[in-house]
Short mmCIF file of all heavy atoms in Angstrom, two decimals:
data_model
loop_
_atom_site.label_atom_id
_atom_site.label_comp_id
_atom_site.label_asym_id
_atom_site.label_seq_id
_atom_site.Cartn_x
_atom_site.Cartn_y
_atom_site.Cartn_z
N MET U 106 5.85 -19.04 23.86
CA MET U 106 5.28 -17.71 23.33
C MET U 106 4.67 -17.97 21.92
O MET U 106 5.33 -18.62 21.05
CB MET U 106 6.47 -16.75 23.20
CG MET U 106 6.13 -15.30 23.11
SD MET U 106 5.19 -14.65 24.54
CE MET U 106 4.64 -13.21 23.88
N PRO U 107 3.44 -17.53 21.77
CA PRO U 107 2.77 -17.74 20.48
C PRO U 107 3.42 -16.99 19.33
O PRO U 107 3.96 -15.87 19.61
CB PRO U 107 1.29 -17.39 20.69
CG PRO U 107 1.33 -16.57 21.90
CD PRO U 107 2.54 -16.94 22.69
N LYS U 108 3.22 -17.47 18.15
CA LYS U 108 3.73 -16.69 16.92
C LYS U 108 2.87 -15.47 16.64
O LYS U 108 1.65 -15.47 16.94
CB LYS U 108 3.72 -17.57 15.69
CG LYS U 108 4.75 -18.72 15.74
CD LYS U 108 4.74 -19.45 14.45
CE LYS U 108 5.77 -20.58 14.54
NZ LYS U 108 5.72 -21.37 13.31
N MET U 109 3.50 -14.40 16.04
CA MET U 109 2.77 -13.27 15.66
C MET U 109 1.95 -13.58 14.45
O MET U 109 2.46 -14.33 13.51
CB MET U 109 3.74 -12.09 15.32
CG MET U 109 4.32 -11.54 16.54
SD MET U 109 3.45 -10.30 17.35
CE MET U 109 3.41 -9.03 16.07
N LYS U 110 0.71 -13.12 14.29
CA LYS U 110 -0.16 -13.34 13.16
C LYS U 110 -0.04 -12.11 12.27
O LYS U 110 -0.09 -11.03 12.73
CB LYS U 110 -1.61 -13.51 13.52
CG LYS U 110 -1.87 -14.95 14.10
CD LYS U 110 -3.33 -15.23 14.10
CE LYS U 110 -3.59 -16.64 14.41
NZ LYS U 110 -5.03 -17.03 14.36
N THR U 111 0.12 -12.40 10.94
CA THR U 111 0.15 -11.34 9.98
C THR U 111 -1.27 -10.83 9.76
O THR U 111 -2.19 -11.65 9.65
CB THR U 111 0.73 -11.90 8.65
OG1 THR U 111 2.06 -12.39 8.88
CG2 THR U 111 0.82 -10.72 7.61
N ASN U 112 -1.40 -9.55 9.69
CA ASN U 112 -2.77 -8.94 9.42
C ASN U 112 -3.10 -9.29 7.91
O ASN U 112 -2.46 -9.05 6.97
CB ASN U 112 -2.66 -7.42 9.55
CG ASN U 112 -3.99 -6.75 9.41
OD1 ASN U 112 -4.60 -6.90 8.38
ND2 ASN U 112 -4.33 -6.03 10.43
N SER U 113 -4.35 -9.94 7.85
CA SER U 113 -4.76 -10.55 6.53
C SER U 113 -5.01 -9.40 5.49
O SER U 113 -4.62 -9.55 4.31
CB SER U 113 -5.99 -11.38 6.67
OG SER U 113 -5.75 -12.47 7.39
N SER U 114 -5.54 -8.29 5.90
CA SER U 114 -5.85 -7.18 4.95
C SER U 114 -4.46 -6.56 4.54
O SER U 114 -4.34 -6.14 3.42
CB SER U 114 -6.78 -6.20 5.53
OG SER U 114 -6.16 -5.56 6.75
N ALA U 115 -3.48 -6.47 5.41
CA ALA U 115 -2.25 -5.84 5.09
C ALA U 115 -1.48 -6.68 4.06
O ALA U 115 -0.78 -6.19 3.21
CB ALA U 115 -1.44 -5.58 6.28
N LYS U 116 -1.44 -8.01 4.26
CA LYS U 116 -0.67 -8.77 3.30
C LYS U 116 -1.23 -8.81 1.88
O LYS U 116 -0.55 -9.07 0.94
CB LYS U 116 -0.55 -10.27 3.83
CG LYS U 116 -1.83 -11.02 3.81
CD LYS U 116 -1.56 -12.45 4.41
CE LYS U 116 -2.86 -13.25 4.50
NZ LYS U 116 -2.66 -14.46 5.31
N LYS U 117 -2.57 -8.40 1.75
CA LYS U 117 -3.07 -8.28 0.45
C LYS U 117 -2.81 -6.96 -0.23
O LYS U 117 -2.82 -6.77 -1.39
CB LYS U 117 -4.61 -8.47 0.47
CG LYS U 117 -4.99 -9.87 0.95
CD LYS U 117 -6.44 -9.87 1.25
CE LYS U 117 -6.79 -11.27 1.91
NZ LYS U 117 -8.20 -11.22 2.47
N ARG U 118 -2.48 -5.94 0.60
CA ARG U 118 -2.36 -4.56 0.13
C ARG U 118 -0.93 -4.04 0.02
O ARG U 118 -0.70 -3.07 -0.76
CB ARG U 118 -3.11 -3.57 1.11
CG ARG U 118 -4.62 -3.65 1.00
CD ARG U 118 -5.21 -2.83 2.15
NE ARG U 118 -6.62 -2.67 1.99
CZ ARG U 118 -7.54 -3.61 2.23
NH1 ARG U 118 -7.14 -4.77 2.68
NH2 ARG U 118 -8.83 -3.42 1.98
N PHE U 119 -0.01 -4.69 0.69
CA PHE U 119 1.37 -4.20 0.65
C PHE U 119 2.28 -5.27 0.14
O PHE U 119 2.07 -6.45 0.27
CB PHE U 119 1.84 -3.75 2.07
CG PHE U 119 1.00 -2.68 2.64
CD1 PHE U 119 0.05 -2.92 3.67
CD2 PHE U 119 1.06 -1.40 2.22
CE1 PHE U 119 -0.69 -1.89 4.30
CE2 PHE U 119 0.35 -0.30 2.67
CZ PHE U 119 -0.56 -0.62 3.77
N LYS U 120 3.38 -4.86 -0.46
CA LYS U 120 4.41 -5.78 -0.99
C LYS U 120 5.79 -5.22 -0.71
O LYS U 120 6.07 -4.10 -0.76
CB LYS U 120 4.25 -5.88 -2.53
CG LYS U 120 4.97 -7.08 -3.22
CD LYS U 120 4.54 -7.21 -4.55
CE LYS U 120 3.20 -7.87 -4.70
NZ LYS U 120 2.80 -8.16 -6.02
N LEU U 121 6.67 -6.08 -0.32
CA LEU U 121 8.00 -5.75 0.03
C LEU U 121 8.86 -5.69 -1.27
O LEU U 121 8.87 -6.60 -2.03
CB LEU U 121 8.57 -6.81 1.02
CG LEU U 121 9.72 -6.43 1.96
CD1 LEU U 121 9.33 -5.30 2.85
CD2 LEU U 121 10.26 -7.59 2.71
N THR U 122 9.64 -4.60 -1.34
CA THR U 122 10.49 -4.47 -2.52
C THR U 122 11.85 -5.14 -2.24
O THR U 122 12.05 -5.58 -1.18
CB THR U 122 10.73 -2.94 -2.79
OG1 THR U 122 11.47 -2.36 -1.72
CG2 THR U 122 9.45 -2.18 -3.05
N GLY U 123 12.66 -5.21 -3.30
CA GLY U 123 13.96 -5.84 -3.07
C GLY U 123 14.83 -5.14 -2.16
O GLY U 123 15.73 -5.79 -1.59
N THR U 124 14.72 -3.86 -1.95
CA THR U 124 15.61 -3.09 -1.18
C THR U 124 15.02 -3.03 0.32
O THR U 124 15.61 -2.30 1.13
CB THR U 124 15.82 -1.66 -1.69
OG1 THR U 124 14.57 -1.07 -1.81
CG2 THR U 124 16.57 -1.72 -2.99
N GLY U 125 13.93 -3.66 0.51
CA GLY U 125 13.37 -3.64 1.89
C GLY U 125 12.36 -2.58 2.18
O GLY U 125 11.77 -2.43 3.31
N LYS U 126 11.93 -1.81 1.17
CA LYS U 126 10.91 -0.81 1.31
C LYS U 126 9.55 -1.55 1.10
O LYS U 126 9.48 -2.58 0.64
CB LYS U 126 11.16 0.32 0.42
CG LYS U 126 12.37 1.15 0.63
CD LYS U 126 12.59 2.14 -0.41
CE LYS U 126 13.90 2.89 -0.18
NZ LYS U 126 14.28 3.72 -1.35
N ILE U 127 8.44 -0.80 1.43
CA ILE U 127 7.11 -1.36 1.21
C ILE U 127 6.36 -0.62 0.21
O ILE U 127 6.20 0.62 0.31
CB ILE U 127 6.36 -1.37 2.63
CG1 ILE U 127 7.17 -2.28 3.63
CG2 ILE U 127 4.98 -1.95 2.51
CD1 ILE U 127 6.63 -2.14 5.05
N ALA U 128 5.83 -1.29 -0.81
CA ALA U 128 5.13 -0.67 -1.87
C ALA U 128 3.60 -0.86 -1.61
O ALA U 128 3.20 -1.72 -0.97
CB ALA U 128 5.44 -1.40 -3.25
N ARG U 129 2.91 0.18 -2.15
CA ARG U 129 1.46 0.09 -2.02
C ARG U 129 0.79 0.68 -3.29
O ARG U 129 1.54 1.32 -4.07
CB ARG U 129 1.09 1.09 -0.83
CG ARG U 129 1.41 2.57 -1.09
CD ARG U 129 0.86 3.47 -0.05
NE ARG U 129 1.28 4.87 -0.32
CZ ARG U 129 0.66 5.72 -1.10
NH1 ARG U 129 -0.34 5.33 -1.83
NH2 ARG U 129 1.10 6.90 -1.29
N LYS U 130 -0.54 0.44 -3.41
CA LYS U 130 -1.23 1.01 -4.57
C LYS U 130 -1.82 2.35 -4.14
O LYS U 130 -2.02 2.63 -2.97
CB LYS U 130 -2.32 0.11 -5.00
CG LYS U 130 -1.82 -1.16 -5.80
CD LYS U 130 -2.99 -1.89 -6.40
CE LYS U 130 -2.45 -2.98 -7.32
NZ LYS U 130 -3.52 -3.57 -8.11
N ASN U 131 -2.06 3.20 -5.16
CA ASN U 131 -2.70 4.56 -4.96
C ASN U 131 -4.17 4.37 -4.78
O ASN U 131 -4.85 3.50 -5.39
CB ASN U 131 -2.37 5.45 -6.13
CG ASN U 131 -0.89 5.95 -6.05
OD1 ASN U 131 -0.33 6.27 -5.00
ND2 ASN U 131 -0.23 5.72 -7.20
N ALA U 132 -4.76 5.32 -3.97
CA ALA U 132 -6.21 5.36 -3.85
C ALA U 132 -6.85 6.12 -4.96
O ALA U 132 -6.18 6.55 -5.88
CB ALA U 132 -6.53 5.98 -2.51
N TYR U 133 -8.19 6.24 -4.96
CA TYR U 133 -8.96 6.95 -5.93
C TYR U 133 -8.89 6.34 -7.36
O TYR U 133 -8.88 7.05 -8.23
CB TYR U 133 -8.60 8.48 -5.95
CG TYR U 133 -8.46 9.05 -4.64
CD1 TYR U 133 -7.24 9.49 -4.04
CD2 TYR U 133 -9.66 9.23 -3.86
CE1 TYR U 133 -7.16 10.02 -2.86
CE2 TYR U 133 -9.54 9.79 -2.52
CZ TYR U 133 -8.27 10.27 -2.02
OH TYR U 133 -8.24 10.71 -0.79
N LYS U 134 -8.95 5.02 -7.46
CA LYS U 134 -8.80 4.38 -8.68
C LYS U 134 -9.83 3.28 -8.89
O LYS U 134 -9.68 2.39 -9.65
CB LYS U 134 -7.43 3.80 -8.94
CG LYS U 134 -7.07 3.36 -10.33
CD LYS U 134 -6.82 4.50 -11.27
CE LYS U 134 -6.26 4.18 -12.59
NZ LYS U 134 -6.87 3.07 -13.27
N SER U 135 -11.03 3.43 -8.13
CA SER U 135 -12.01 2.30 -8.23
C SER U 135 -13.29 2.64 -9.00
O SER U 135 -13.71 1.80 -9.80
CB SER U 135 -12.30 1.85 -6.75
OG SER U 135 -12.86 2.91 -6.12
N HIS U 136 -13.87 3.82 -8.76
CA HIS U 136 -15.11 4.09 -9.44
C HIS U 136 -15.31 5.64 -9.58
O HIS U 136 -14.42 6.36 -8.92
CB HIS U 136 -16.24 3.47 -8.73
CG HIS U 136 -16.50 4.05 -7.35
ND1 HIS U 136 -17.52 4.93 -7.00
CD2 HIS U 136 -15.83 3.79 -6.13
CE1 HIS U 136 -17.41 5.23 -5.75
NE2 HIS U 136 -16.40 4.56 -5.22
N ILE U 137 -16.28 6.05 -10.35
CA ILE U 137 -16.50 7.45 -10.75
C ILE U 137 -15.23 8.12 -11.27
O ILE U 137 -14.68 9.08 -10.81
CB ILE U 137 -16.99 8.32 -9.38
CG1 ILE U 137 -18.05 7.54 -8.64
CG2 ILE U 137 -17.56 9.65 -9.93
CD1 ILE U 137 -18.58 8.22 -7.42
N LEU U 138 -14.71 7.42 -12.29
CA LEU U 138 -13.51 7.88 -12.95
C LEU U 138 -13.70 8.73 -14.13
O LEU U 138 -12.73 9.24 -14.80
CB LEU U 138 -12.62 6.63 -13.31
CG LEU U 138 -12.20 5.76 -12.18
CD1 LEU U 138 -11.51 4.53 -12.67
CD2 LEU U 138 -11.35 6.47 -11.25
N THR U 139 -14.98 9.00 -14.61
CA THR U 139 -15.28 9.78 -15.79
C THR U 139 -14.92 11.24 -15.66
O THR U 139 -14.37 11.83 -16.65
CB THR U 139 -16.78 9.66 -16.06
OG1 THR U 139 -17.52 10.05 -15.04
CG2 THR U 139 -17.15 8.24 -16.55
N LYS U 140 -14.99 11.76 -14.49
CA LYS U 140 -14.58 13.18 -14.32
C LYS U 140 -13.11 13.38 -14.05
O LYS U 140 -12.67 14.51 -14.07
CB LYS U 140 -15.43 13.77 -13.05
CG LYS U 140 -15.09 13.10 -11.78
CD LYS U 140 -15.88 13.71 -10.68
CE LYS U 140 -17.30 13.18 -10.61
NZ LYS U 140 -18.00 13.52 -9.37
N MET U 141 -12.37 12.33 -13.96
CA MET U 141 -10.86 12.32 -13.76
C MET U 141 -10.17 12.41 -15.10
O MET U 141 -10.59 11.77 -15.97
CB MET U 141 -10.48 11.19 -12.85
CG MET U 141 -9.20 11.46 -12.15
SD MET U 141 -8.72 9.98 -11.24
CE MET U 141 -9.83 10.04 -9.90
N SER U 142 -9.16 13.16 -15.20
CA SER U 142 -8.39 13.21 -16.44
C SER U 142 -7.71 11.97 -16.70
O SER U 142 -7.30 11.19 -15.74
CB SER U 142 -7.38 14.42 -16.40
OG SER U 142 -6.34 14.12 -15.52
N THR U 143 -7.34 11.66 -17.94
CA THR U 143 -6.68 10.41 -18.33
C THR U 143 -5.31 10.37 -17.74
O THR U 143 -4.90 9.33 -17.30
CB THR U 143 -6.60 10.37 -19.86
OG1 THR U 143 -7.87 10.58 -20.45
CG2 THR U 143 -6.05 8.95 -20.29
N LYS U 144 -4.62 11.49 -17.72
CA LYS U 144 -3.25 11.59 -17.09
C LYS U 144 -3.24 11.23 -15.72
O LYS U 144 -2.39 10.47 -15.18
CB LYS U 144 -2.68 13.02 -17.32
CG LYS U 144 -1.36 13.18 -16.80
CD LYS U 144 -0.87 14.64 -17.02
CE LYS U 144 0.53 14.83 -16.50
NZ LYS U 144 1.02 16.22 -16.67
N ARG U 145 -4.22 11.75 -14.88
CA ARG U 145 -4.32 11.40 -13.49
C ARG U 145 -4.65 9.98 -13.24
O ARG U 145 -4.06 9.30 -12.35
CB ARG U 145 -5.40 12.31 -12.86
CG ARG U 145 -5.45 12.11 -11.36
CD ARG U 145 -6.06 13.27 -10.64
NE ARG U 145 -6.08 13.00 -9.27
CZ ARG U 145 -7.16 13.30 -8.51
NH1 ARG U 145 -8.19 13.89 -9.02
NH2 ARG U 145 -7.16 13.01 -7.20
N LYS U 146 -5.55 9.41 -14.02
CA LYS U 146 -5.90 7.95 -13.92
C LYS U 146 -4.63 7.10 -14.23
O LYS U 146 -4.38 6.08 -13.57
CB LYS U 146 -7.03 7.58 -14.78
CG LYS U 146 -8.36 8.16 -14.32
CD LYS U 146 -9.50 7.61 -15.19
CE LYS U 146 -9.66 8.36 -16.41
NZ LYS U 146 -10.91 8.05 -17.21
N ARG U 147 -3.89 7.42 -15.26
CA ARG U 147 -2.76 6.77 -15.67
C ARG U 147 -1.70 6.71 -14.50
O ARG U 147 -1.12 5.74 -14.16
CB ARG U 147 -2.18 7.27 -16.89
CG ARG U 147 -0.96 6.59 -17.49
CD ARG U 147 -0.52 7.07 -18.80
NE ARG U 147 -0.19 8.48 -18.79
CZ ARG U 147 -0.83 9.44 -19.48
NH1 ARG U 147 -1.97 9.16 -20.05
NH2 ARG U 147 -0.44 10.72 -19.50
N ASN U 148 -1.46 7.91 -13.98
CA ASN U 148 -0.49 8.03 -12.88
C ASN U 148 -0.88 7.37 -11.58
O ASN U 148 0.00 6.92 -10.83
CB ASN U 148 -0.23 9.49 -12.62
CG ASN U 148 0.62 10.16 -13.78
OD1 ASN U 148 1.32 9.50 -14.51
ND2 ASN U 148 0.45 11.45 -13.96
N LEU U 149 -2.17 7.31 -11.38
CA LEU U 149 -2.63 6.57 -10.18
C LEU U 149 -2.45 5.05 -10.33
O LEU U 149 -2.58 4.36 -9.31
CB LEU U 149 -4.12 6.90 -9.84
CG LEU U 149 -4.36 8.28 -9.26
CD1 LEU U 149 -5.85 8.46 -9.19
CD2 LEU U 149 -3.72 8.43 -7.89
N GLY U 150 -2.27 4.53 -11.47
CA GLY U 150 -2.08 3.10 -11.71
C GLY U 150 -0.75 2.59 -11.24
O GLY U 150 -0.63 1.42 -11.02
N HIS U 151 0.28 3.47 -11.10
CA HIS U 151 1.59 3.08 -10.63
C HIS U 151 1.51 2.83 -9.12
O HIS U 151 0.69 3.37 -8.44
CB HIS U 151 2.60 4.16 -10.97
CG HIS U 151 2.62 4.47 -12.46
ND1 HIS U 151 2.82 3.51 -13.45
CD2 HIS U 151 2.58 5.67 -13.07
CE1 HIS U 151 2.82 4.19 -14.65
NE2 HIS U 151 2.65 5.42 -14.45
N THR U 152 2.50 2.10 -8.67
CA THR U 152 2.58 1.91 -7.22
C THR U 152 3.46 2.97 -6.62
O THR U 152 4.23 3.73 -7.27
CB THR U 152 3.30 0.54 -6.95
OG1 THR U 152 4.63 0.51 -7.63
CG2 THR U 152 2.42 -0.59 -7.42
N SER U 153 3.23 3.20 -5.30
CA SER U 153 4.01 4.15 -4.50
C SER U 153 4.62 3.40 -3.27
O SER U 153 4.31 2.29 -3.12
CB SER U 153 3.12 5.27 -4.00
OG SER U 153 2.40 5.85 -5.00
N LEU U 154 5.53 4.13 -2.60
CA LEU U 154 6.08 3.63 -1.39
C LEU U 154 5.35 4.12 -0.19
O LEU U 154 4.81 5.29 -0.22
CB LEU U 154 7.59 4.00 -1.34
CG LEU U 154 8.46 3.45 -2.47
CD1 LEU U 154 9.82 4.05 -2.32
CD2 LEU U 154 8.49 1.94 -2.45
N VAL U 155 5.33 3.36 0.86
CA VAL U 155 4.75 3.76 2.11
C VAL U 155 5.60 4.88 2.77
O VAL U 155 6.80 4.67 2.72
CB VAL U 155 4.59 2.51 3.04
CG1 VAL U 155 4.15 2.94 4.37
CG2 VAL U 155 3.61 1.49 2.45
N SER U 156 5.01 5.83 3.27
CA SER U 156 5.77 6.95 3.92
C SER U 156 6.49 6.49 5.17
O SER U 156 6.03 5.47 5.76
CB SER U 156 4.93 8.16 4.17
OG SER U 156 3.95 7.79 5.21
N ASP U 157 7.47 7.25 5.54
CA ASP U 157 8.22 6.91 6.75
C ASP U 157 7.32 6.97 7.95
O ASP U 157 7.57 6.19 9.00
CB ASP U 157 9.44 7.83 6.91
CG ASP U 157 10.48 7.66 5.82
OD1 ASP U 157 10.55 6.50 5.31
OD2 ASP U 157 11.20 8.59 5.56
N ALA U 158 6.43 7.87 8.00
CA ALA U 158 5.52 7.97 9.21
C ALA U 158 4.61 6.78 9.39
O ALA U 158 4.23 6.45 10.53
CB ALA U 158 4.61 9.26 8.96
N ASP U 159 4.29 6.15 8.31
CA ASP U 159 3.40 4.89 8.42
C ASP U 159 4.22 3.63 8.38
O ASP U 159 3.58 2.57 8.57
CB ASP U 159 2.39 4.92 7.17
CG ASP U 159 1.61 6.09 7.25
OD1 ASP U 159 1.17 6.56 8.33
OD2 ASP U 159 1.19 6.60 6.10
N MET U 160 5.46 3.65 8.14
CA MET U 160 6.23 2.45 7.96
C MET U 160 6.20 1.57 9.24
O MET U 160 6.08 0.34 9.02
CB MET U 160 7.74 2.85 7.70
CG MET U 160 8.51 1.73 7.28
SD MET U 160 8.15 1.05 5.61
CE MET U 160 8.91 2.34 4.60
N GLY U 161 6.20 2.13 10.43
CA GLY U 161 6.23 1.33 11.64
C GLY U 161 4.98 0.53 11.74
O GLY U 161 4.96 -0.69 12.08
N ASN U 162 3.77 1.17 11.52
CA ASN U 162 2.51 0.50 11.61
C ASN U 162 2.35 -0.67 10.62
O ASN U 162 1.87 -1.69 10.92
CB ASN U 162 1.41 1.47 11.48
CG ASN U 162 1.25 2.43 12.59
OD1 ASN U 162 1.65 2.12 13.78
ND2 ASN U 162 0.83 3.71 12.40
N VAL U 163 2.83 -0.33 9.38
CA VAL U 163 2.73 -1.36 8.33
C VAL U 163 3.64 -2.59 8.61
O VAL U 163 3.24 -3.74 8.48
CB VAL U 163 2.95 -0.70 6.95
CG1 VAL U 163 2.99 -1.82 5.85
CG2 VAL U 163 2.06 0.36 6.66
N LYS U 164 4.85 -2.30 9.05
CA LYS U 164 5.79 -3.36 9.36
C LYS U 164 5.21 -4.24 10.55
O LYS U 164 5.36 -5.47 10.60
CB LYS U 164 7.13 -2.84 9.77
CG LYS U 164 7.98 -2.41 8.58
CD LYS U 164 9.37 -2.06 8.96
CE LYS U 164 10.20 -1.81 7.80
NZ LYS U 164 11.59 -1.48 8.08
N ARG U 165 4.56 -3.57 11.49
CA ARG U 165 4.01 -4.36 12.61
C ARG U 165 2.83 -5.28 12.11
O ARG U 165 2.67 -6.35 12.59
CB ARG U 165 3.43 -3.41 13.66
CG ARG U 165 3.06 -4.10 15.03
CD ARG U 165 2.64 -3.03 16.03
NE ARG U 165 3.76 -2.02 16.35
CZ ARG U 165 3.60 -0.75 16.13
NH1 ARG U 165 2.52 -0.27 15.64
NH2 ARG U 165 4.60 0.01 16.39
N MET U 166 2.03 -4.69 11.20
CA MET U 166 0.95 -5.52 10.61
C MET U 166 1.42 -6.70 9.81
O MET U 166 0.87 -7.82 9.77
CB MET U 166 -0.03 -4.71 9.80
CG MET U 166 -0.87 -3.74 10.54
SD MET U 166 -2.13 -2.94 9.55
CE MET U 166 -1.21 -1.76 8.61
N LEU U 167 2.56 -6.52 9.12
CA LEU U 167 3.20 -7.54 8.31
C LEU U 167 4.13 -8.41 9.12
O LEU U 167 4.73 -9.36 8.50
CB LEU U 167 3.91 -6.94 7.07
CG LEU U 167 3.01 -6.23 6.10
CD1 LEU U 167 3.85 -5.50 5.06
CD2 LEU U 167 2.00 -7.12 5.46
N CYS U 168 4.36 -8.14 10.32
CA CYS U 168 5.35 -8.95 11.22
C CYS U 168 6.72 -8.89 10.64
O CYS U 168 7.39 -9.93 10.52
CB CYS U 168 4.86 -10.31 11.39
SG CYS U 168 3.24 -10.38 12.23
N ILE U 169 7.16 -7.73 10.17
CA ILE U 169 8.56 -7.53 9.59
C ILE U 169 9.34 -6.82 10.73
O ILE U 169 8.95 -5.94 11.39
CB ILE U 169 8.53 -6.67 8.37
CG1 ILE U 169 7.69 -7.29 7.29
CG2 ILE U 169 9.89 -6.43 7.85
CD1 ILE U 169 7.46 -6.52 6.06
N GLY U 170 10.66 -7.27 10.86
CA GLY U 170 11.48 -6.65 11.87
C GLY U 170 11.36 -7.27 13.20
O GLY U 170 11.12 -8.45 13.33
N LYS U 171 11.52 -6.50 14.30
CA LYS U 171 11.54 -6.98 15.64
C LYS U 171 10.07 -7.23 16.08
O LYS U 171 9.21 -6.54 15.82
CB LYS U 171 12.21 -6.04 16.54
CG LYS U 171 13.72 -5.87 16.24
CD LYS U 171 14.37 -4.91 17.19
CE LYS U 171 15.77 -4.81 16.78
NZ LYS U 171 16.50 -3.86 17.53
#
């Protein structure tokens, strides 16, 4: 049986935390930032966790679990 290949785009975008959750970056932080408030830009700089609804798809792309 061949090995599962990790999705190349997913391994660049997601990171596994120490407790086994998956961290991601927030969207809307690349360009046209002049109209956005400083507070919103600052808060978008932090990482977030992948939601439970998307966890299965992300784990499949990263070849985590079964």
Side-chain angles (χ1 to χ4, degrees):
M106 202 56 199
K108 291 183 180 179
M109 291 274 294
K110 282 195 174 182
T111 302
N112 186 301
S113 293
S114 61
K116 68 184 175 189
K117 297 168 191 170
R118 286 171 171 79
F119 300 107
K120 195 169 282 190
L121 203 62
T122 64
T124 55
K126 296 173 182 172
I127 300 174
R129 64 171 178 85
K130 285 195 173 184
N131 287 311
Y133 311 114
K134 192 71 171 47
S135 58
H136 63 103
I137 317 177
L138 299 173
T139 52
K140 61 181 81 169
M141 202 182 286
S142 70
T143 309
K144 180 180 179 181
R145 183 157 177 222
K146 286 187 281 192
R147 182 173 60 246
N148 289 333
L149 286 173
H151 305 306
T152 57
S153 306
L154 295 176
V155 172
S156 67
D157 292 333
D159 298 324
M160 191 70 75
N162 289 331
V163 175
K164 281 187 174 182
R165 192 174 302 117
M166 287 191 286
L167 295 173
C168 299
I169 299 171
K171 294 180 181 177

